[in-house]
Structure formats: structure tokens, C-alpha cells
Amino acid sequence: MADAVSFPPRAGAPKERWLHRNRRAIAPWMFLAPGVLFFLVYVIFPIFQSFEISLYKWDGLGEARYIGLRNYEKLFSDRAFETSLWNNLKWLVLYLLAVPAGLFIAIFLNQTVTGIRLYKSLFFFPFVISQVVVGLVFTWFYDPTFGLLNTIIGWFGAGPLNVLGDPAFVTYGIIAAGLWPQTAYCMILYLTGLNAVDPEQVEAGRLDGARGWRMLWHVILPQLRPATFIAFVVTIIGALRSFDLISIMTDGGPFGSSRVLSFYMFEKALSEYGFRMGYGAAIAVVLFLIMLGFIAYFLWSMYRDERGA
Amino acid sequence: MFPAPIRKASVPWQLAYRTLLPVSLFLWLLPLMAVAVFSIKPADDFTTGNYWGPPSTFEAAANYGRVFFESDMPRYLLNSLLITVPTVIGAVALSCMTGFALGVYRFRANLWLFFMFVAGNFVPFQILMVPVRDLTLELGLYNTKTGLVLFHIAFQTGFCTLFMRNFIRTLPFALIESARVEGVSEFRIFRYVVLPLMKPAIAALSILIFTFIWNDYFWAVVLTQGAGSQPVTAGITSFNAQYRAAYHLMSAGSIVAALPPVAMFFLMQRHFIAGLTLGAVK
């Protein structure tokens, strides 16, 4: 694009001419320099530093001691690490329920009755609230003595259920809390997507006798692909980043049964019983490698689209 | 339009839809409304076990008054503001430039740099935690708002660059070309041709980053401690420790902490949603 326009040569002192001639090659770097520098120092370099730190035994204060891959060896026999990894998997799978749930609500709300705009905003509401507050709200919601959940199931003669105090339920309880804002996010993505659906194709589909599910599957969903892609990206990233809710609702408990890698890493690295930065970094590296698989896939999809465009 | 407009449906269906709407909204926001009800109850209601009945007296003024005048909450709120606003300005300013560079110029490293920003934006925070905490300590910025702001600016630049670059790609390129033909310098093209067209993107990003940063909890606990520098997300836990089991106050505190981004969202809804869809879904 930019190179297609030929640049009219101008007379001047040689030095000025060089700058002038190359200004289109130099300009982008001037614009990029501050942002790239910041990003390298605070994001890119730290990734590599974490890899290095994971090879040391280090309390964050004294001398770091090189121990090779010993931190990783320890991970294999660490039951808490195993629990965290399993819980991460649960998060990843169950969190994705936010995508169809969001689509469902979006279809429900995609109407033009009076006041629908306010309804859409209010349905979206949970996403704007910080996860810390969502965590508190749901902690009280689940409370075994006065929580709304137990009040309600009490009407049916069930309970009381101590969701956050029971290792069998705790992770699912926290995921449910996380699904609340995440579904709202997916909903808004799909609402915007539905807005852009081509009405002519819908009409054509109707003429061909497509209704309900068939219409959704064959006509609507293909047009919602960009929304679906973003919904998957943000939901997967969100699932692997889950930290706030766990920290607020259970602090990893009971008996460490609701930990995930991101939380376990934090707990080890900044533990009250002495910092274990090297071990923490090793956990972070594992989490990073899991995420890297997804990131690579996202980038590949984006690359394909770029080439296609 | 999909699904078929309810207006074309039969009257019973329309009625059913119109009753279902408020009912579903009520259920959806139930946990939140419970907290809102808690926040206007007197302390007595909790000791006598009147959790879900109507409040015996309305104590909204007293409860919220105590949050604002008898706790550290106002300081935390101020900290949040002093962290969030500079971050928004910094990240948006940097990404206007990076987005412009990556959106307008063709050079070999272009796509690689773009992917660096995108990929960096997706990494788990924990892989950055130890080195960033270290760096902040070395700079003497641990436990300061500045330390937190610097990191936030850098990290958010990733997402903002993605957004800005994609937005600039949708602008008519002929405008830039004609300015070049007339010999306008690259900087002036950025300042006077492209920047004015970026206003909607700047608005969308600002509101979005405001929410992200206001709601950040992880970096707040990693890089700051105490009421001197901590934002309200981290402060609310100390607040709750102070008022343990005083559910009316904890509820009021949570609502106060959650309110600023909510207000922002309702004021600037259109921009907010444009930002969330990353500009990809139009």
C-alpha cells in the first residue's frame, strides 16, 4: 500500500536529503520506539527471565542457587501441583459453557420491544463489576447459614449445602461464579454479531423453509464466526487466568482443593513461610506453555485472516 | 433479523415474552440484588437472623456513611483513580503511535511486532510476576502507585495496539496518500490527518481500559501493600477484615467499590461495547 506511491525527489543538503528520502522507513520506528521499549521491558523480557529463575532456588532476597531442572522434577511428585492442574482443566472445559450460554441469552434478547436496550445493559452488568466483588457476592450467595442458595434449596427440603467448604463442590462453585460475568461478555459479543447478520440471507433461508435450529446452524452461526472466535479466545484466556475469584472466595481451600496453577504459583512464590521464587517460576512456566499452545493457534488464525484480507 | 421478531408472533407469545424478560433479569441479577438489600439493613437484622425478610429499618445512609467517613475506603477509591487515569492516558497515547506505525507503514518486521503485542497480551500474569516485582523493587517503586501504573501502561499497550492497528486499517488510506503527495510530514499526517479520525477508537479504548485497570486485583496485591498505595479491589479485603461479619457494611463497601466502572459503563455504553468486540465484530 504505502510503497505503491512514488515519492517526489527534492533538492537539499545531502544529509537532509537522506533523512527525507528515508523518512518513510524511519518514521514507523519513531512511532514504535516508546511502546515497543515499554512492552519489551515489562512483558517480553520478564517471560525469559522467568524461564531462567525457574532453574534456581531463590527466596527473593538472598543469593540464588542454580539447581538445573530440579524445580521441575519436584513438580512431578507435588500433589498440590497435580490438583491445580486438574482444576485448570475443569476451568477450561466448564468455562467454555459461557459461549453457548451467551449465545442463548443474546438470541433471547435480540428483539425490538420497548425497553430492550435497558434489558441488554442490565444483563451485561455482571461483566463490568470487578471479579473481587463478584467473588464476595457469590461467597455470600453460597453461605451455608444465610446464603440465598441454601435458603432457596431449603424450600425444597434440601441442604444445607456448604459449597465452598466441600472439596467435592468448591471448584465447581467458583467456576459457576466465574461463568456469570463471562456469559455476559459472550452475550454482548453475540448481540453485536447478530446485529450484523445479513437480513437478506435470513429471508432467503426462510423462503427455503429453514426455521429455528436449522436456521441457526446453517445460516446464522456461519455469519457469527468472528464473534465466536473472539468469544473462545477471551473465555480460554479468562479460564487460565482465573485467580481473583479463588483468592477471594476460598484462598485455595478447603485443604488446597480449589487451587489452580495461577493461584498455586502466587502462593508458592510469595508464601508466608518464605518466598520460593524459583519453584513459583517453574509453575508459571508450565502455565505459560499451556497458554502458548492456545496463543500459537490464535496467532495462526489471525495470520491466515491477514493473508486472506 | 434472527430470531423472528416477536411482534409478528401471536398475542399469547408476545405476552409470554414480555413476562419472561423481567423474570429472567430478576433471576440473573439475584445475587447482586441480595447484596444491595444487605447494604441497607441495620446490623440488628443479622443478629436476629432476619437475613431475607424486609429490613426492619432502612439504614442506607448510616451504612454508606460509615463506609465513606469511618473507613479507609475513600483513600482506596482515590488510589484507584490515581492508578487508573494515568494508565488510561499512557496506554492510549502509546498505542495511538504503535497502532499508527503498524497500521500505515509496510516494513518487514511489521507483522512480527504486531504479533508480539498480541501474544504478550495473552500471556498468564504469573510468568511476569517474579521479574516484574523484582524490577519494580529495583526501581524503588515497590508499594507505590507509580510502579503499578508503569506496569499497567506497558501491559495494556499490547491490547491497545491490537485494537488501534485494526481500527486504523479500516480508515480510508487515500487520505494519507494524498497528504503525502502534498508533502505533509509523517508526523503531521499522524497528528492532523489520522488522530482526529481515531476519536471513536480512543473513546472506546479509554473506557475499556478504565474498567480493566479499576478491576485489577492481581497486580495490586503483587506490587502494593497498605492503604497508602493499594487500589480499592485490594483494599476491600482489608475493609472486610476490619468489619468481619458486619455484612451490612461489607455489602455497602462492595457496592461502593464496584460502582465507578458501572457508572462509566452506563454513561458511555456505545463506546464500551465497540471496544469489547475488539473492533472485529461490527
Short mmCIF file of all heavy atoms in Angstrom, two decimals, chain B residues 35-94:
data_model
loop_
_atom_site.label_atom_id
_atom_site.label_comp_id
_atom_site.label_asym_id
_atom_site.label_seq_id
_atom_site.Cartn_x
_atom_site.Cartn_y
_atom_site.Cartn_z
N VAL B 35 -27.09 -8.51 47.70
CA VAL B 35 -26.08 -7.66 48.34
C VAL B 35 -26.62 -6.23 48.51
O VAL B 35 -26.40 -5.59 49.54
CB VAL B 35 -24.79 -7.66 47.51
CG1 VAL B 35 -23.78 -6.71 48.10
CG2 VAL B 35 -24.23 -9.05 47.46
N ALA B 36 -27.36 -5.76 47.51
CA ALA B 36 -27.92 -4.42 47.62
C ALA B 36 -28.88 -4.34 48.79
O ALA B 36 -28.88 -3.35 49.54
CB ALA B 36 -28.63 -4.04 46.31
N VAL B 37 -29.68 -5.39 48.98
CA VAL B 37 -30.62 -5.39 50.11
C VAL B 37 -29.85 -5.43 51.44
O VAL B 37 -30.15 -4.68 52.37
CB VAL B 37 -31.59 -6.60 50.00
CG1 VAL B 37 -32.42 -6.72 51.27
CG2 VAL B 37 -32.48 -6.44 48.79
N PHE B 38 -28.82 -6.28 51.49
CA PHE B 38 -27.99 -6.34 52.70
C PHE B 38 -27.46 -4.96 53.08
O PHE B 38 -27.39 -4.61 54.24
CB PHE B 38 -26.78 -7.26 52.46
CG PHE B 38 -27.05 -8.70 52.78
CD1 PHE B 38 -28.34 -9.19 52.87
CD2 PHE B 38 -25.99 -9.57 53.01
CE1 PHE B 38 -28.58 -10.51 53.16
CE2 PHE B 38 -26.21 -10.90 53.31
CZ PHE B 38 -27.51 -11.37 53.38
N SER B 39 -27.07 -4.20 52.07
CA SER B 39 -26.36 -2.95 52.34
C SER B 39 -27.25 -1.88 52.96
O SER B 39 -26.74 -0.87 53.43
CB SER B 39 -25.70 -2.44 51.07
OG SER B 39 -26.66 -1.80 50.25
N ILE B 40 -28.57 -2.07 52.92
CA ILE B 40 -29.42 -1.06 53.55
C ILE B 40 -30.07 -1.58 54.84
O ILE B 40 -30.92 -0.92 55.42
CB ILE B 40 -30.52 -0.55 52.58
CG1 ILE B 40 -31.38 -1.71 52.10
CG2 ILE B 40 -29.90 0.19 51.40
CD1 ILE B 40 -32.62 -1.23 51.35
N LYS B 41 -29.64 -2.76 55.28
CA LYS B 41 -30.22 -3.31 56.51
C LYS B 41 -29.45 -2.83 57.73
O LYS B 41 -28.26 -2.54 57.65
CB LYS B 41 -30.16 -4.85 56.45
CG LYS B 41 -31.21 -5.45 55.55
CD LYS B 41 -31.24 -6.95 55.73
CE LYS B 41 -32.55 -7.49 55.20
NZ LYS B 41 -33.01 -8.65 55.94
N PRO B 42 -30.12 -2.80 58.88
CA PRO B 42 -29.40 -2.50 60.12
C PRO B 42 -28.66 -3.73 60.62
O PRO B 42 -29.01 -4.86 60.25
CB PRO B 42 -30.52 -2.12 61.08
CG PRO B 42 -31.71 -2.86 60.58
CD PRO B 42 -31.57 -2.96 59.09
N ALA B 43 -27.65 -3.53 61.47
CA ALA B 43 -26.86 -4.65 62.00
C ALA B 43 -27.74 -5.64 62.75
O ALA B 43 -27.50 -6.84 62.71
CB ALA B 43 -25.75 -4.11 62.90
N ASP B 44 -28.79 -5.14 63.41
CA ASP B 44 -29.66 -6.00 64.22
C ASP B 44 -30.27 -7.13 63.42
O ASP B 44 -30.45 -8.24 63.92
CB ASP B 44 -30.80 -5.17 64.83
CG ASP B 44 -30.28 -4.17 65.84
OD1 ASP B 44 -29.09 -4.32 66.23
OD2 ASP B 44 -31.03 -3.26 66.22
N ASP B 45 -30.63 -6.82 62.16
CA ASP B 45 -31.27 -7.83 61.33
C ASP B 45 -30.41 -9.08 61.20
O ASP B 45 -30.93 -10.18 61.07
CB ASP B 45 -31.55 -7.26 59.93
CG ASP B 45 -32.86 -6.49 59.92
OD1 ASP B 45 -33.42 -6.27 61.01
OD2 ASP B 45 -33.31 -6.11 58.83
N PHE B 46 -29.10 -8.90 61.24
CA PHE B 46 -28.21 -10.05 61.06
C PHE B 46 -28.08 -10.84 62.36
O PHE B 46 -27.95 -12.05 62.35
CB PHE B 46 -26.85 -9.61 60.55
CG PHE B 46 -26.93 -9.00 59.18
CD1 PHE B 46 -27.02 -7.63 59.01
CD2 PHE B 46 -26.98 -9.80 58.05
CE1 PHE B 46 -27.12 -7.08 57.76
CE2 PHE B 46 -27.09 -9.26 56.79
CZ PHE B 46 -27.16 -7.89 56.65
N THR B 47 -28.13 -10.14 63.49
CA THR B 47 -28.02 -10.86 64.76
C THR B 47 -29.32 -11.59 65.08
O THR B 47 -29.31 -12.65 65.68
CB THR B 47 -27.66 -9.89 65.91
OG1 THR B 47 -28.47 -8.72 65.81
CG2 THR B 47 -26.21 -9.50 65.84
N THR B 48 -30.46 -11.03 64.64
CA THR B 48 -31.72 -11.71 64.92
C THR B 48 -32.09 -12.72 63.84
O THR B 48 -33.13 -13.35 63.91
CB THR B 48 -32.88 -10.69 65.02
OG1 THR B 48 -32.92 -9.93 63.81
CG2 THR B 48 -32.69 -9.75 66.20
N GLY B 49 -31.22 -12.86 62.84
CA GLY B 49 -31.46 -13.86 61.81
C GLY B 49 -32.43 -13.43 60.73
O GLY B 49 -32.86 -14.24 59.92
N ASN B 50 -32.76 -12.16 60.68
CA ASN B 50 -33.65 -11.67 59.63
C ASN B 50 -32.82 -11.35 58.38
O ASN B 50 -32.60 -10.20 58.05
CB ASN B 50 -34.39 -10.42 60.11
CG ASN B 50 -35.21 -9.78 59.00
OD1 ASN B 50 -35.54 -10.43 58.01
ND2 ASN B 50 -35.52 -8.51 59.17
N TYR B 51 -32.36 -12.42 57.71
CA TYR B 51 -31.50 -12.19 56.55
C TYR B 51 -32.30 -11.77 55.33
O TYR B 51 -31.94 -10.86 54.62
CB TYR B 51 -30.71 -13.46 56.22
CG TYR B 51 -29.70 -13.81 57.26
CD1 TYR B 51 -29.86 -14.94 58.06
CD2 TYR B 51 -28.59 -13.00 57.46
CE1 TYR B 51 -28.93 -15.26 59.01
CE2 TYR B 51 -27.65 -13.33 58.42
CZ TYR B 51 -27.81 -14.46 59.19
OH TYR B 51 -26.90 -14.78 60.13
N TRP B 52 -33.39 -12.48 55.09
CA TRP B 52 -34.07 -12.29 53.81
C TRP B 52 -35.42 -11.61 53.90
O TRP B 52 -36.03 -11.33 52.90
CB TRP B 52 -34.17 -13.62 53.06
CG TRP B 52 -32.81 -14.08 52.74
CD1 TRP B 52 -32.13 -15.11 53.28
CD2 TRP B 52 -31.90 -13.42 51.84
NE1 TRP B 52 -30.86 -15.15 52.79
CE2 TRP B 52 -30.70 -14.13 51.90
CE3 TRP B 52 -32.00 -12.31 51.01
CZ2 TRP B 52 -29.59 -13.77 51.16
CZ3 TRP B 52 -30.90 -11.95 50.26
CH2 TRP B 52 -29.72 -12.67 50.34
N GLY B 53 -35.84 -11.35 55.15
CA GLY B 53 -37.07 -10.58 55.30
C GLY B 53 -36.80 -9.13 54.92
O GLY B 53 -35.67 -8.74 54.65
N PRO B 54 -37.86 -8.31 54.89
CA PRO B 54 -37.64 -6.89 54.61
C PRO B 54 -36.84 -6.26 55.75
O PRO B 54 -36.92 -6.73 56.89
CB PRO B 54 -39.06 -6.33 54.54
CG PRO B 54 -39.93 -7.36 55.18
CD PRO B 54 -39.26 -8.66 55.07
N PRO B 55 -36.03 -5.26 55.45
CA PRO B 55 -35.24 -4.61 56.51
C PRO B 55 -36.16 -4.07 57.59
O PRO B 55 -37.22 -3.52 57.30
CB PRO B 55 -34.55 -3.46 55.77
CG PRO B 55 -34.66 -3.78 54.33
CD PRO B 55 -35.87 -4.62 54.16
N SER B 56 -35.76 -4.26 58.87
CA SER B 56 -36.61 -3.74 59.94
C SER B 56 -36.55 -2.21 59.97
O SER B 56 -37.53 -1.55 60.28
CB SER B 56 -36.19 -4.33 61.28
OG SER B 56 -34.81 -4.12 61.49
N THR B 57 -35.38 -1.65 59.64
CA THR B 57 -35.31 -0.21 59.41
C THR B 57 -34.40 0.01 58.21
O THR B 57 -33.57 -0.84 57.90
CB THR B 57 -34.68 0.54 60.61
OG1 THR B 57 -33.48 -0.13 60.97
CG2 THR B 57 -35.63 0.59 61.79
N PHE B 58 -34.56 1.12 57.54
CA PHE B 58 -33.71 1.41 56.39
C PHE B 58 -32.49 2.20 56.85
O PHE B 58 -32.61 3.31 57.34
CB PHE B 58 -34.49 2.20 55.34
CG PHE B 58 -35.48 1.35 54.62
CD1 PHE B 58 -36.81 1.31 55.02
CD2 PHE B 58 -35.09 0.54 53.56
CE1 PHE B 58 -37.73 0.50 54.38
CE2 PHE B 58 -36.00 -0.27 52.90
CZ PHE B 58 -37.32 -0.30 53.31
N GLU B 59 -31.34 1.56 56.70
CA GLU B 59 -30.13 2.18 57.23
C GLU B 59 -29.14 2.53 56.13
O GLU B 59 -27.94 2.56 56.36
CB GLU B 59 -29.46 1.24 58.24
CG GLU B 59 -30.32 0.90 59.44
CD GLU B 59 -30.58 2.13 60.32
OE1 GLU B 59 -29.79 3.09 60.24
OE2 GLU B 59 -31.59 2.12 61.05
N ALA B 60 -29.64 2.78 54.93
CA ALA B 60 -28.73 3.05 53.82
C ALA B 60 -27.78 4.19 54.16
O ALA B 60 -26.56 4.07 54.02
CB ALA B 60 -29.53 3.39 52.56
N ALA B 61 -28.33 5.31 54.64
CA ALA B 61 -27.50 6.48 54.92
C ALA B 61 -26.43 6.14 55.97
O ALA B 61 -25.25 6.45 55.79
CB ALA B 61 -28.36 7.64 55.40
N ALA B 62 -26.84 5.45 57.03
CA ALA B 62 -25.90 5.13 58.10
C ALA B 62 -24.80 4.20 57.60
O ALA B 62 -23.61 4.42 57.85
CB ALA B 62 -26.65 4.50 59.27
N ASN B 63 -25.21 3.14 56.84
CA ASN B 63 -24.22 2.17 56.39
C ASN B 63 -23.22 2.78 55.42
O ASN B 63 -22.01 2.64 55.56
CB ASN B 63 -24.92 0.98 55.72
CG ASN B 63 -25.71 0.16 56.72
OD1 ASN B 63 -25.54 0.33 57.93
ND2 ASN B 63 -26.57 -0.70 56.22
N TYR B 64 -23.76 3.45 54.40
CA TYR B 64 -22.86 4.04 53.41
C TYR B 64 -22.06 5.19 54.04
O TYR B 64 -20.91 5.42 53.68
CB TYR B 64 -23.64 4.51 52.18
CG TYR B 64 -24.06 3.36 51.30
CD1 TYR B 64 -25.30 2.76 51.46
CD2 TYR B 64 -23.19 2.85 50.35
CE1 TYR B 64 -25.68 1.68 50.68
CE2 TYR B 64 -23.55 1.77 49.56
CZ TYR B 64 -24.81 1.19 49.73
OH TYR B 64 -25.16 0.12 48.97
N GLY B 65 -22.68 5.89 54.99
CA GLY B 65 -21.96 6.95 55.71
C GLY B 65 -20.73 6.39 56.41
O GLY B 65 -19.64 6.97 56.35
N ARG B 66 -20.90 5.24 57.05
CA ARG B 66 -19.75 4.65 57.76
C ARG B 66 -18.67 4.23 56.77
O ARG B 66 -17.48 4.33 57.06
CB ARG B 66 -20.20 3.47 58.61
CG ARG B 66 -20.83 3.94 59.92
CD ARG B 66 -21.16 2.78 60.81
NE ARG B 66 -19.96 2.15 61.38
CZ ARG B 66 -20.02 1.09 62.18
NH1 ARG B 66 -21.18 0.55 62.47
NH2 ARG B 66 -18.92 0.59 62.67
N VAL B 67 -19.09 3.72 55.62
CA VAL B 67 -18.09 3.33 54.61
C VAL B 67 -17.28 4.55 54.19
O VAL B 67 -16.05 4.49 54.07
CB VAL B 67 -18.78 2.70 53.37
CG1 VAL B 67 -17.78 2.51 52.25
CG2 VAL B 67 -19.42 1.38 53.75
N PHE B 68 -17.95 5.67 54.02
CA PHE B 68 -17.25 6.84 53.49
C PHE B 68 -16.52 7.62 54.57
O PHE B 68 -15.50 8.25 54.28
CB PHE B 68 -18.24 7.76 52.76
CG PHE B 68 -18.43 7.37 51.33
CD1 PHE B 68 -19.61 6.79 50.91
CD2 PHE B 68 -17.40 7.55 50.41
CE1 PHE B 68 -19.78 6.40 49.60
CE2 PHE B 68 -17.55 7.16 49.10
CZ PHE B 68 -18.75 6.58 48.69
N PHE B 69 -17.03 7.62 55.80
CA PHE B 69 -16.42 8.52 56.79
C PHE B 69 -15.66 7.81 57.89
O PHE B 69 -14.93 8.43 58.64
CB PHE B 69 -17.50 9.43 57.39
CG PHE B 69 -18.16 10.29 56.35
CD1 PHE B 69 -19.49 10.12 56.02
CD2 PHE B 69 -17.42 11.27 55.69
CE1 PHE B 69 -20.09 10.90 55.05
CE2 PHE B 69 -18.01 12.05 54.72
CZ PHE B 69 -19.35 11.87 54.40
N GLU B 70 -15.83 6.50 58.04
CA GLU B 70 -15.17 5.84 59.16
C GLU B 70 -14.22 4.73 58.71
O GLU B 70 -13.79 3.93 59.52
CB GLU B 70 -16.22 5.25 60.11
CG GLU B 70 -16.88 6.32 60.96
CD GLU B 70 -18.03 5.72 61.76
OE1 GLU B 70 -17.89 4.58 62.22
OE2 GLU B 70 -19.05 6.41 61.90
N SER B 71 -13.95 4.66 57.41
CA SER B 71 -13.04 3.60 56.97
C SER B 71 -12.02 4.20 56.00
O SER B 71 -12.08 5.38 55.67
CB SER B 71 -13.81 2.48 56.27
OG SER B 71 -14.16 2.89 54.98
N ASP B 72 -11.10 3.35 55.56
CA ASP B 72 -10.09 3.80 54.59
C ASP B 72 -10.64 3.81 53.17
O ASP B 72 -9.90 4.08 52.23
CB ASP B 72 -8.88 2.87 54.65
CG ASP B 72 -7.97 3.23 55.82
OD1 ASP B 72 -8.00 4.40 56.23
OD2 ASP B 72 -7.26 2.34 56.31
N MET B 73 -11.89 3.48 53.01
CA MET B 73 -12.46 3.35 51.68
C MET B 73 -12.21 4.57 50.78
O MET B 73 -11.79 4.39 49.63
CB MET B 73 -13.95 3.08 51.80
CG MET B 73 -14.53 2.31 50.65
SD MET B 73 -13.55 0.88 50.23
CE MET B 73 -14.76 -0.34 50.10
N PRO B 74 -12.43 5.79 51.24
CA PRO B 74 -12.17 6.93 50.35
C PRO B 74 -10.73 6.97 49.85
O PRO B 74 -10.48 7.31 48.69
CB PRO B 74 -12.47 8.14 51.24
CG PRO B 74 -13.39 7.65 52.27
CD PRO B 74 -12.99 6.23 52.53
N ARG B 75 -9.78 6.57 50.72
CA ARG B 75 -8.38 6.56 50.27
C ARG B 75 -8.15 5.53 49.19
O ARG B 75 -7.46 5.77 48.20
CB ARG B 75 -7.45 6.27 51.45
CG ARG B 75 -7.27 7.48 52.35
CD ARG B 75 -6.23 7.19 53.39
NE ARG B 75 -4.89 7.09 52.85
CZ ARG B 75 -3.85 6.74 53.59
NH1 ARG B 75 -4.01 6.44 54.86
NH2 ARG B 75 -2.65 6.69 53.06
N TYR B 76 -8.73 4.34 49.39
CA TYR B 76 -8.59 3.31 48.37
C TYR B 76 -9.20 3.76 47.04
O TYR B 76 -8.64 3.52 45.97
CB TYR B 76 -9.27 2.02 48.83
CG TYR B 76 -8.58 1.32 49.96
CD1 TYR B 76 -9.26 0.99 51.13
CD2 TYR B 76 -7.24 0.96 49.87
CE1 TYR B 76 -8.64 0.34 52.17
CE2 TYR B 76 -6.61 0.31 50.91
CZ TYR B 76 -7.32 0.00 52.06
OH TYR B 76 -6.70 -0.66 53.08
N LEU B 77 -10.35 4.41 47.14
CA LEU B 77 -11.00 4.89 45.92
C LEU B 77 -10.12 5.90 45.20
O LEU B 77 -9.95 5.86 43.99
CB LEU B 77 -12.36 5.51 46.25
CG LEU B 77 -13.48 4.55 46.62
CD1 LEU B 77 -14.67 5.31 47.18
CD2 LEU B 77 -13.91 3.73 45.42
N LEU B 78 -9.55 6.81 46.00
CA LEU B 78 -8.67 7.82 45.41
C LEU B 78 -7.46 7.14 44.77
O LEU B 78 -7.05 7.48 43.65
CB LEU B 78 -8.22 8.82 46.49
CG LEU B 78 -7.34 9.96 45.98
CD1 LEU B 78 -8.15 10.88 45.08
CD2 LEU B 78 -6.74 10.75 47.15
N ASN B 79 -6.88 6.15 45.48
CA ASN B 79 -5.75 5.42 44.90
C ASN B 79 -6.14 4.79 43.57
O ASN B 79 -5.38 4.87 42.59
CB ASN B 79 -5.29 4.31 45.84
CG ASN B 79 -4.58 4.86 47.06
OD1 ASN B 79 -4.14 6.01 47.06
ND2 ASN B 79 -4.48 4.06 48.09
N SER B 80 -7.30 4.16 43.54
CA SER B 80 -7.75 3.52 42.30
C SER B 80 -7.80 4.55 41.17
O SER B 80 -7.36 4.27 40.06
CB SER B 80 -9.14 2.93 42.49
OG SER B 80 -9.05 1.65 43.04
N LEU B 81 -8.33 5.71 41.50
CA LEU B 81 -8.46 6.75 40.49
C LEU B 81 -7.07 7.20 40.01
O LEU B 81 -6.83 7.35 38.81
CB LEU B 81 -9.23 7.93 41.08
CG LEU B 81 -9.80 8.92 40.08
CD1 LEU B 81 -10.93 8.26 39.31
CD2 LEU B 81 -10.29 10.17 40.79
N LEU B 82 -6.15 7.36 40.97
CA LEU B 82 -4.81 7.84 40.63
C LEU B 82 -3.99 6.79 39.90
O LEU B 82 -2.96 7.09 39.29
CB LEU B 82 -4.07 8.29 41.89
CG LEU B 82 -4.65 9.55 42.55
CD1 LEU B 82 -3.91 9.86 43.85
CD2 LEU B 82 -4.57 10.74 41.60
N ILE B 83 -4.41 5.54 40.00
CA ILE B 83 -3.74 4.48 39.23
C ILE B 83 -4.39 4.35 37.86
O ILE B 83 -3.71 4.22 36.84
CB ILE B 83 -3.82 3.15 40.00
CG1 ILE B 83 -2.94 3.20 41.24
CG2 ILE B 83 -3.42 1.97 39.11
CD1 ILE B 83 -3.26 2.14 42.26
N THR B 84 -5.72 4.42 37.84
CA THR B 84 -6.44 4.13 36.61
C THR B 84 -6.29 5.23 35.56
O THR B 84 -5.98 4.94 34.40
CB THR B 84 -7.93 3.92 36.92
OG1 THR B 84 -8.04 2.96 37.95
CG2 THR B 84 -8.67 3.42 35.70
N VAL B 85 -6.47 6.47 35.97
CA VAL B 85 -6.46 7.55 34.97
C VAL B 85 -5.10 7.69 34.27
O VAL B 85 -5.07 7.71 33.03
CB VAL B 85 -6.93 8.88 35.60
CG1 VAL B 85 -6.75 10.03 34.63
CG2 VAL B 85 -8.38 8.77 36.02
N PRO B 86 -3.99 7.74 34.99
CA PRO B 86 -2.70 7.82 34.26
C PRO B 86 -2.46 6.61 33.36
O PRO B 86 -1.89 6.75 32.28
CB PRO B 86 -1.65 7.88 35.37
CG PRO B 86 -2.38 8.33 36.57
CD PRO B 86 -3.78 7.81 36.44
N THR B 87 -2.90 5.43 33.80
CA THR B 87 -2.72 4.25 32.96
C THR B 87 -3.49 4.40 31.65
O THR B 87 -2.96 4.10 30.57
CB THR B 87 -3.20 2.98 33.68
OG1 THR B 87 -2.51 2.88 34.91
CG2 THR B 87 -2.96 1.76 32.84
N VAL B 88 -4.72 4.87 31.75
CA VAL B 88 -5.54 5.03 30.55
C VAL B 88 -4.84 6.00 29.59
O VAL B 88 -4.66 5.70 28.40
CB VAL B 88 -6.95 5.54 30.91
CG1 VAL B 88 -7.70 5.94 29.66
CG2 VAL B 88 -7.71 4.47 31.67
N ILE B 89 -4.41 7.14 30.13
CA ILE B 89 -3.77 8.14 29.28
C ILE B 89 -2.51 7.56 28.64
O ILE B 89 -2.30 7.65 27.43
CB ILE B 89 -3.45 9.41 30.09
CG1 ILE B 89 -4.75 10.04 30.57
CG2 ILE B 89 -2.64 10.40 29.25
CD1 ILE B 89 -4.56 11.18 31.55
N GLY B 90 -1.67 6.94 29.47
CA GLY B 90 -0.40 6.41 28.97
C GLY B 90 -0.58 5.34 27.91
O GLY B 90 0.02 5.40 26.84
N ALA B 91 -1.44 4.36 28.22
CA ALA B 91 -1.59 3.23 27.30
C ALA B 91 -2.23 3.69 25.99
O ALA B 91 -1.82 3.25 24.90
CB ALA B 91 -2.42 2.12 27.94
N VAL B 92 -3.21 4.57 26.08
CA VAL B 92 -3.86 5.02 24.85
C VAL B 92 -2.89 5.86 24.01
O VAL B 92 -2.81 5.69 22.79
CB VAL B 92 -5.16 5.81 25.17
CG1 VAL B 92 -5.71 6.48 23.93
CG2 VAL B 92 -6.20 4.87 25.77
N ALA B 93 -2.11 6.72 24.67
CA ALA B 93 -1.16 7.55 23.93
C ALA B 93 -0.13 6.67 23.21
O ALA B 93 0.12 6.83 22.01
CB ALA B 93 -0.46 8.52 24.88
N LEU B 94 0.46 5.72 23.95
CA LEU B 94 1.48 4.86 23.33
C LEU B 94 0.90 4.06 22.17
O LEU B 94 1.53 3.92 21.11
CB LEU B 94 2.06 3.89 24.36
CG LEU B 94 3.02 4.47 25.39
CD1 LEU B 94 3.54 3.35 26.28
CD2 LEU B 94 4.18 5.17 24.72
#
